[in-house]
Amino acid sequence: MGFGDLKAASGLKVLNDFLSDRSYIEGYVPSQADVAVFEAISSPPPADLCHALRWYNHIKSYQSQRSSLPGVKKPLGQYGPAGIADATSASKDDDDDDDIDLFGSDEEDAEAAKLKEQRLAEYAAKKAKKPALIAKSSILLDVKPWDDETDMAKLEECVRSIQMDGLVWGQSKLIPVGYGIKKLQINCVVEDDKVGTDILEEHITAFEDFVQSMDVAAFNKI
């Protein structure tokens, strides 16, 4: 198992294909598996690898929470598709910065381990608790391209590749805005406590090779 060399374009392509039908490296919530792979990537994936870039930006948003995410980090060779070996470790530079663990040491004393276990239990209990009422909203978004040469099918694919808990994409259509340019108008339903227009705009405009801007055309509580 592995992704090849995640510091090379070939490895990022394997990661992008792997995430085409997944939100996370393992399971259905962010975990130490995502942290391990995130650490191995030296810079954000290019915009044409929309699944990998969507995942990268999502895990990056957990900056202050990564050390408390569930699970235990394993070697990169234990993640990813079968039949592909990990080559990232072999391609690392000898710079001192590569030896810095950005997410803390794996060596913890008994008290720290106990605290971590308690946090994991609280996290699991919170996820298991079902709220009595979930507030939802229907949002209609206008996503504008740079010009009439922008691949609108690819733009929509990038937008729909954004997956997060509490977000469901709906119908879409292309609307002419003039000079041969069309904008993508797409509907989504969100859980208000989990997804807001600000995080949608951050993720959508991250595909800067295709997206010029995003506007909220309509916002209705359900």
Side-chain angles (χ1 to χ4, degrees):
M1 297 176 67
F3 298 100
D5 186 359
L6 285 171
K7 296 187 181 300
S10 58
L12 293 176
K13 176 65 166 57
V14 174
L15 176 64
N16 185 71
D17 293 342
F18 182 76
L19 291 169
S20 63
D21 58 354
R22 296 174 175 85
S23 296
Y24 304 102
I25 300 300
E26 288 185 341
Y28 300 96
V29 296
S31 69
Q32 292 301 315
D34 297 284
V35 173
V37 177
F38 183 92
E39 287 180 336
I41 300 175
S42 56
S43 61
D48 60 326
L49 301 179
C50 56
H51 304 296
L53 180 59
R54 173 262 305 165
W55 168 85
Y56 182 92
N57 289 331
H58 186 48
I59 300 305
K60 183 180 179 181
S61 69
Y62 286 88
Q63 179 72 41
S64 61
Q65 306 172 45
R66 290 177 194 153
S67 61
S68 62
L69 291 178
V72 177
K73 277 190 287 185
K74 298 179 290 188
L76 286 176
Q78 295 187 35
Y79 303 117
I84 299 179
D86 168 48
T88 305
S89 301
S91 69
K92 285 185 178 180
D93 295 330
D94 294 331
D95 296 340
D96 291 340
D97 289 346
D98 287 339
D99 295 329
I100 299 176
D101 183 1
L102 299 178
F103 304 107
S105 173
D106 288 335
E107 298 178 0
E108 301 174 315
D109 56 25
E111 183 177 353
K114 182 178 179 180
L115 178 59
K116 183 176 181 179
E117 183 177 348
Q118 179 183 348
R119 287 178 177 174
L120 289 176
E122 292 173 352
Y123 177 85
K126 182 178 179 181
K127 293 294 292 183
K129 184 179 179 181
K130 296 182 179 179
L133 178 64
I134 300 177
K136 295 183 178 182
S137 298
S138 175
I139 307 176
L140 188 63
L141 303 175
D142 282 345
V143 184
K144 299 175 183 177
W146 288 104
D147 51 39
D148 60 340
E149 295 183 357
T150 300
D151 186 339
M152 297 303 292
K154 185 67 176 178
L155 184 150
E156 181 173 354
E157 179 186 343
C158 289
V159 172
R160 289 186 181 275
S161 74
I162 300 170
Q163 300 176 28
M164 61 185 74
D165 190 21
L167 169 65
V168 177
W169 292 108
Q171 295 182 335
S172 65
K173 60 182 177 180
L174 297 178
I175 299 178
V177 295
Y179 302 101
I181 301 174
K182 296 180 180 180
K183 65 181 178 181
L184 172 68
Q185 190 167 84
I186 186 168
N187 180 261
C188 65
V189 174
V190 303
E191 294 182 23
D192 296 347
D193 290 340
K194 298 178 180 179
V195 183
T197 55
D198 53 346
I199 194 170
L200 285 174
E201 182 174 13
E202 177 184 347
H203 281 65
I204 290 174
T205 54
F207 299 110
E208 55 187 17
D209 287 356
F210 300 97
V211 177
Q212 180 193 68
S213 63
M214 186 214 82
D215 296 314
V216 177
F219 191 109
N220 298 295
K221 295 289 185 180
I222 299 178

